[in-house]
Amino acid sequence: MIALRWMRDLTHPVRFATHRTAPLPVVLYSHNSLIRRKLGNIDLQLQENKAVNLALAAPHINGVVITPGETFSFWHLVGATTARRGYRNGLTISSGHATSGMGGGICQFTNLLHWMVLHSPLTIVEHHHHDNLDLFPDFNRQIPFGTGTSVMYNYLDYRVRNDTDQAFQFMVSATQEYLVGELRTERALEVKFHIQEDDAYFYDKHGEVYRHNRIYRSARSKATGNEVERVLLVENDARVMYDRALVNAEILPERPSAGTKAP
């Protein structure tokens, strides 16, 4: 799979973003992602190793500018997460279950990038989900369920293309507690983007718990405040992989019928 991705990039050339500059003047969106979280019975050492992995990857992304026509590729910039380069075993997902692997936990990085990109006009050209699974109970959740990413060097990538007429830039760093991110640009936009969750609920299906929601993105004119666009980004219907006792919301006895709002 790795070799096939290299061949595909060679035979279908893409102009990748690689140039770095001082911070662009306008902060379009910023977000801090908590590094250490309560994830059921997951080994705490995997969380510590994840912190190391995120700190190693951050300098490869920080300051990169995506000019018009360029494509941002996470793996093109970060490279292989090998032990030789200092990466450690962290939390990974395999066949719908939590396990460990070299460079594990790095998807938290692309989760942060993706969340910021959703608040911009950048075009997402490659994005992978965790296969309709709700893997961990909520713990200080800041963003809606189902807006995450899945990456694997190098054939599951996160790629974004700049189809606008101005440059954008990722500024990212890792502190003791947070992965800190900013998406910057050359000049202010005429619209502001908002991400909204709707129709969110848990329900029982043949003795198993599922989680449902819809994620919408709206754009509002800064001049008038009017909504100029509203788009359904994704509808999630995910099987809960942790104990139902850890679900901190009502579990409906069945999925509501189409057109019926959950209570």
Side-chain angles (χ1 to χ4, degrees), residues 24-141:
L24 294 180
V26 177
V27 177
L28 180 61
Y29 195 81
S30 63
H31 186 74
N32 295 344
S33 178
L34 186 65
I35 293 175
R36 296 167 183 84
R37 306 176 184 182
K38 293 180 181 179
L39 300 175
N41 297 320
I42 299 300
D43 184 356
L44 293 179
Q45 187 58 50
L46 295 180
Q47 297 267 23
E48 297 303 318
N49 291 351
K50 177 183 70 172
V52 172
N53 295 340
L54 293 174
L56 287 172
H60 296 281
I61 302 297
N62 187 47
V64 168
V65 175
I66 315 168
T67 61
E70 286 188 331
T71 295
F72 167 88
S73 163
F74 181 77
W75 289 125
H76 187 78
L77 292 168
V78 172
T81 53
T82 62
R84 186 174 181 179
R85 299 180 66 205
Y87 289 91
R88 300 181 181 179
N89 275 317
L91 179 65
T92 61
I93 306 302
S94 178
S95 301
H97 298 283
T99 182
S100 64
M102 188 58 60
I106 211 75
C107 63
Q108 184 171 339
F109 207 129
T110 49
N111 288 349
L112 172 68
L113 299 179
H114 181 58
W115 180 245
M116 294 193 296
V117 166
L118 288 177
H119 292 82
S120 80
L122 293 170
T123 303
I124 300 164
V125 293
E126 184 174 347
H127 170 225
H128 304 274
H129 285 287
H130 280 301
D131 296 328
N132 296 319
L133 300 174
D134 182 6
L135 297 165
F136 304 110
D138 292 347
F139 174 69
N140 291 343
R141 179 179 290 280

Side-chain angles (χ1 to χ4, degrees), residues 224-243:
T224 65
N226 294 334
E227 186 176 74
V228 296
E229 182 183 54
R230 180 175 170 85
V231 178
L232 175 64
L233 296 177
V234 63
E235 180 173 5
N236 296 294
D237 197 52
R239 183 159 58 97
V240 171
M241 302 300 291
Y242 45 89
D243 193 305

